[in-house]
Amino acid sequence: MRLRFKLKTVFILYFTVSLLGLIYALMHLGQHCECSEHDMTKDRTISRLLGKLHSLQGHTKKEPTKPHLPTIYVITPTYARLVQKAELTRLSQTFLHVPQLHWIVVEDSSQRTDLVSHFLEHSGLVFTHLHIPTPQDRKLQEGDPNWLKPRGVEQRNEGLRWLRENIWAGETAEGVVYFADDDNTYSLQLFEEMRWTQRVSVWPVGLVGGMRYEGPVVEQGRVVRFHTGWRPSRPFPLDMAGFATSLRLVLRNPEARFDGNSPMGFVESSFLQGLVTMEELEPKAEMCTKVLVWHTRTEKPKMKREEALQAQGLGSDSKVEV
Amino acid sequence: MVEMPKRRDILAIVLIVLPWTLLITVWHQSAITPLLTIRKACHHLVKEIFIIPERLAARRHRLADDGAEGRHETGQGSDSKEYCSSDKDIVEVVRTEYVYTRPPPWSDVLPTIHVVTPTYSRPVQKAELTRLANTFLHVPNLHWILVEDAQRRTPLVSRLLRETGLNYTHLNVETPRNYKLRGDARDPRIPRGTMQRNLALRWLRETFSPNSTQPGIVYFADDDNTYSLELFEEMRSTRKVSVWPVAFVGGLRYESPKVNAAGKVYGWKTVFDPHRPFAIDMAGFAVNLRLILYKPQAYFKLRGVKGGYQESSLLRELVTLNDLEPKAANCTKILVWHTRTEKPVLVNEGKKGFTDPNVEI
């Protein structure tokens, strides 16, 4: 009897101790582990990075399926010069923010250059890489002022040709065509303004035509005339960056293109004349009162020292792409 | 009668064993799981979460790969240090699709890049700041310190900064005008942007204490240059001062530091005064914030600075040539271009101004 009694107390004692131990362990579960042999900062970094990764992965999956947005086809003529890569780089950084954008880059060249090919491949954008050389007589010569001959005409026409051949001209062809030169500056809001163009939409352009800005004048929701400092009698005194055409209109009018032989300042009109009348223009940018695009131009970098070095055969490494 | 004690014995054994099994299971789950994570993750240490807009096939590395082998090793906590020390298995995590969140979500791990941009009013200002903002909106953990050369913060810049959604600080200090010269000429003895950059340095020193553990990098970015996104990731790992080539400066295609086989900077590949202490453009270097805070006397020299010596006036107080860290593949790649924007010819505005002055450009 006594033995059993002792065993019982031992048993109860043991049971209580182990229960207390278990409760203690459970309480200390979620708390900081005093395992000093681990490299705690690295652990923390790793678990935090993992957490970040998972949250970012979750973020991509959670992105709601957007309603079908019309695609903006941006046609950019470009040509090789020192600042070309820089211009394309900062242009791509703007375009990367715009959803459903298809960049059509047309080089003024008889073949695709490596610089532009590599650049486009790594840009992260949806792109089409075309090329067409400008005929020699249309090219600006050294010393010509830049307004003497219209630039980029053949390249823009090539972009239009590609669109007409490759985009299905069905009833539901939804999209907008915009001509964006590689040295201008575009705000992100501009692309959302142009996305829903039905025929041709217009807006002001900053720093062009010798003025702070140039653009349409809107009265009662319609374009009545154009505010410009130079030859306002032109049919469409707009800058290339100041309008966008709906894809449907482009595909339905296969003859509409830019005329390189038109007089100075009439290139835009040569394209728009057959497509739309002034009354049909859709004013954007808060009835053409806001400037969302600027006709910036980049200086030609001074290469005096480079040329001097090259004369000595000591020019900077040509393998380094600038 | 024999069965009763048997049942009681079984009950007794169960009651003895139960708490211990529970204890062991629960304890192991809490202690071993971090061990397992270390096992998995140390084999593939995540260097940084690099958001690259790649539209090609996924290069995302799956961290759950060797989970199976991790579970075998238990209770060997002391060995974890050896596993973690190997840096050879570092992979970058690259995302496939680009997520249109502007700016990217703030990360607790990445060092903050404090970009100091002096700016001043002129017709192209809004355009320059717009495209600069479009670039910065891609960079995670970027803090833009925009310092206006103006008596008061202008509404144009305030509004622009607010609308971008970037993390920013808006400061202003006016460079004193030289009243002897006609028009809006500033004191020509003070190089442009100096007072503004110094104000930003002072702000950083007043805002962050040297003891804080928030890592940061300071970069001086002018508003007309062009920056690639890769540049910001290169500078993020700066320990003291990092350097790289800059295109279109010094009358050359590019200027670059000279790097020897040991990966140390020993000179400058420039034509214009290569014997300057630091023959580098403002856009060609970045400084760790800690260094800025530890040397609170280091500022850009205001007056008496020869052309091209501005950068040296700051850097020589911070670091020696030996401490420089070359980036951009040992200074062989161009990641920043010193572009300059033409001044627009506003001939048609005339004396009275042709366009509506209320329309902001």
Side-chain angles (χ1 to χ4, degrees):
Chain A
M1 251 333 240
R2 247 178 108 231
L3 226 75
R4 223 182 255 170
F5 180 62
K6 253 193 193 161
L7 196 65
K8 219 179 192 173
T9 22
V10 169
F11 187 28
I12 290 166
L13 211 71
Y14 158 79
F15 190 45
T16 333
V17 169
S18 42
L19 198 71
L20 288 168
L22 184 70
I23 293 166
Y24 173 85
L26 279 166
M27 276 171 56
H28 280 256
L29 213 57
Q31 281 178 25
H32 192 86
C33 158
E34 283 114 24
C35 1
S36 53
E37 60 263 33
H38 298 286
D39 193 351
M40 280 317 288
T41 41
K42 272 206 176 126
D43 295 354
R44 236 175 275 136
T45 317
I46 288 163
S47 49
R48 225 179 288 146
L49 285 169
L50 279 168
K52 211 71 213 179
L53 172 66
H54 291 313
S55 70
L56 285 169
Q57 287 173 336
H59 199 102
T60 21
K61 290 183 197 134
K62 259 186 269 156
E63 197 192 306
T65 45
K66 282 191 260 275
H68 178 70
L69 285 176
T71 306
I72 300 178
Y73 294 93
V74 180
I75 299 181
T76 299
T78 185
Y79 66 104
R81 75 269 199 206
L82 284 167
V83 296
Q84 183 188 38
K85 191 177 179 191
E87 300 283 43
L88 293 176
T89 300
R90 55 183 170 186
L91 202 56
S92 71
Q93 286 162 356
T94 297
F95 290 163
L96 278 166
H97 290 298
V98 185
Q100 281 300 109
L101 185 143
H102 185 139
W103 198 12
I104 302 173
V105 178
V106 194
E107 290 197 74
D108 183 353
S109 152
S110 52
Q111 60 211 33
R112 294 196 182 93
T113 59
D114 282 340
L115 186 148
V116 177
S117 306
H118 290 149
F119 169 78
L120 287 173
E121 276 162 35
H122 292 106
S123 64
L125 291 161
V126 177
F127 69 90
T128 296
H129 187 184
L130 307 169
H131 62 97
I132 185 168
T134 308
Q136 200 55 35
D137 57 350
R138 291 249 187 95
K139 269 196 144 121
L140 280 177
Q141 303 306 320
E142 196 66 40
D144 277 349
N146 58 59
W147 42 260
L148 193 65
K149 291 170 190 163
R151 288 192 298 183
V153 170
E154 279 78 14
Q155 286 74 38
R156 293 189 193 96
N157 285 338
E158 172 70 5
L160 288 170
R161 182 201 64 77
W162 183 89
L163 277 173
R164 285 164 177 146
E165 277 177 28
N166 291 278
I167 304 295
W168 178 240
E171 272 303 315
T172 52
E174 268 205 6
V176 178
V177 181
Y178 182 54
F179 299 98
D181 289 345
D182 61 8
D183 53 359
N184 291 341
T185 304
Y186 309 92
S187 71
L188 300 178
Q189 204 189 332
L190 177 73
F191 298 101
E192 298 319 309
E193 295 272 317
M194 70 170 77
R195 206 186 279 277
W196 307 95
T197 304
Q198 296 302 307
R199 305 182 76 96
V200 175
S201 52
V202 289
W203 47 78
V205 177
L207 310 171
V208 72
M211 304 215 295
R212 284 171 73 247
Y213 68 91
E214 208 184 54
V217 177
V218 176
E219 274 166 26
Q220 288 168 341
R222 288 250 168 273
V223 177
V224 293
R225 63 180 180 278
F226 294 93
H227 175 90
T228 167
W230 190 79
R231 290 223 198 152
S233 57
R234 294 177 274 163
F236 290 97
L238 294 166
D239 183 76
M240 199 65 75
F243 68 92
T245 325
S246 79
L247 181 65
R248 220 177 301 130
L249 204 61
V250 168
L251 297 177
R252 284 210 189 124
N253 295 279
E255 296 312 308
R257 56 172 61 91
F258 294 95
D259 181 4
N261 292 320
S262 46
M264 193 170 75
F266 282 76
V267 176
E268 294 85 359
S269 305
S270 70
F271 174 70
L272 290 170
Q273 246 173 330
L275 286 179
V276 79
T277 64
M278 187 168 76
E279 289 74 37
E280 289 170 334
L281 292 175
E282 299 149 45
K284 303 283 177 184
E286 286 181 37
M287 294 296 151
C288 296
T289 56
K290 294 270 179 287
V291 174
L292 301 174
V293 56
W294 298 263
H295 195 277
T296 44
R297 292 177 51 81
T298 306
E299 272 183 24
K300 192 173 162 186
K302 300 195 183 83
M303 287 287 127
K304 276 196 312 217
R305 293 200 179 96
E306 181 74 45
E307 285 152 18
L309 276 180
Q310 277 176 0
Q312 297 170 29
L314 294 167
S316 47
D317 189 353
S318 55
K319 279 193 249 92
V320 176
E321 190 182 80
V322 161
Chain B
M1 273 311 278
V2 187
E3 287 169 42
M4 276 301 287
K6 256 196 188 157
R7 214 176 286 161
R8 211 191 289 173
D9 286 336
I10 293 166
L11 187 67
I13 292 166
V14 165
L15 282 173
I16 291 169
V17 174
L18 185 69
W20 288 107
T21 40
L22 278 173
L23 190 76
I24 290 168
T25 332
V26 172
W27 189 263
H28 266 219
Q29 260 185 20
S30 71
I32 292 296
T33 321
L35 225 81
L36 288 172
T37 334
I38 297 163
R39 281 286 121 79
K40 280 192 271 179
C42 273
H43 284 294
H44 305 277
L45 260 171
V46 180
K47 186 170 156 197
E48 51 188 323
I49 297 181
F50 199 134
I51 301 178
I52 300 177
E54 292 274 3
R55 298 190 87 258
L56 307 170
R59 291 196 297 141
R60 197 186 316 150
H61 192 94
R62 291 177 309 136
L63 287 146
D65 265 352
D66 52 346
E69 70 181 22
R71 276 184 221 287
H72 289 308
E73 288 138 1
T74 53
Q76 289 174 28
S78 51
D79 294 337
S80 68
K81 228 180 193 169
E82 299 162 49
Y83 286 95
C84 279
S85 59
S86 153
D87 280 337
K88 290 187 195 133
D89 299 325
I90 293 174
V91 273
E92 282 169 13
V93 176
V94 176
R95 287 248 314 281
T96 48
E97 291 142 27
Y98 196 85
V99 179
Y100 296 105
T101 45
R102 309 193 292 255
W106 200 268
S107 149
D108 297 326
V109 189
L110 294 176
T112 304
I113 299 180
H114 301 276
V115 180
V116 177
T117 302
T119 185
Y120 65 104
S121 278
R122 75 267 198 207
V124 297
Q125 183 189 37
K126 191 176 179 189
E128 301 282 43
L129 294 178
T130 301
R131 57 182 168 186
L132 206 56
N134 288 345
T135 302
F136 291 161
L137 282 165
H138 291 286
V139 184
N141 283 43
L142 185 141
H143 174 217
W144 198 11
I145 304 175
L146 195 57
V147 194
E148 287 197 75
D149 186 349
Q151 224 173 39
R152 245 169 259 108
R153 278 177 245 163
T154 60
L156 185 150
V157 176
S158 309
R159 214 177 306 130
L160 186 143
L161 283 173
R162 232 191 354 254
E163 283 169 4
T164 58
L166 285 165
N167 182 1
Y168 70 88
T169 297
H170 187 183
L171 307 170
N172 71 292
V173 64
E174 195 180 22
T175 309
R177 287 172 202 227
N178 189 340
Y179 290 105
K180 291 192 198 140
L181 296 176
R182 249 184 329 133
D184 200 22
R186 307 287 163 151
D187 192 336
R189 291 172 295 163
I190 301 178
R192 180 181 277 169
T194 314
M195 288 188 72
Q196 288 71 35
R197 292 188 193 100
N198 281 342
L199 181 67
L201 287 174
R202 206 182 80 189
W203 182 90
L204 284 166
R205 286 166 177 145
E206 282 171 10
T207 312
F208 297 100
S209 76
N211 303 320
S212 82
T213 49
Q214 287 176 7
I217 314 288
V218 181
Y219 181 53
F220 298 98
D222 289 345
D223 62 6
D224 54 358
N225 291 342
T226 305
Y227 309 92
S228 71
L229 300 179
E230 216 185 315
L231 176 73
F232 297 102
E233 300 315 314
E234 288 279 308
M235 70 171 76
R236 231 186 263 277
S237 54
T238 305
R239 284 202 292 269
K240 288 193 170 176
V241 174
S242 54
V243 291
W244 49 79
V246 179
F248 312 141
V249 280
L252 297 171
R253 279 172 77 242
Y254 64 90
E255 263 186 4
S256 142
K258 284 195 199 159
V259 181
N260 61 22
K264 286 256 178 263
V265 177
Y266 67 94
W268 308 98
K269 202 161 177 283
T270 79
V271 167
F272 172 66
D273 207 344
H275 301 295
R276 290 174 272 167
F278 294 91
I280 198 166
D281 182 76
M282 199 64 75
F285 68 92
V287 188
N288 192 314
L289 179 64
R290 220 181 309 125
L291 194 57
I292 300 278
L293 300 175
Y294 277 165
K295 308 255 172 108
Q297 309 307 319
Y299 280 98
F300 288 101
K301 196 149 173 254
L302 265 185
R303 290 192 165 85
V305 180
K306 263 202 294 183
Y309 280 77
Q310 256 257 296
E311 294 83 2
S312 301
S313 73
L314 174 76
L315 286 172
R316 67 157 187 258
E317 307 205 20
L318 292 174
V319 83
T320 63
L321 208 69
N322 198 40
D323 287 331
L324 294 176
E325 300 151 50
K327 301 284 175 186
N330 262 356
C331 295
T332 57
K333 277 171 42 168
I334 306 292
L335 300 175
V336 57
W337 299 261
H338 194 276
T339 43
R340 289 170 55 80
T341 307
E342 269 184 26
K343 194 171 159 184
V345 176
L346 301 181
V347 280
N348 286 332
E349 288 287 347
K351 288 224 171 91
K352 290 192 200 148
F354 189 67
T355 51
D356 183 354
N358 291 321
V359 175
E360 189 183 83
I361 51 158

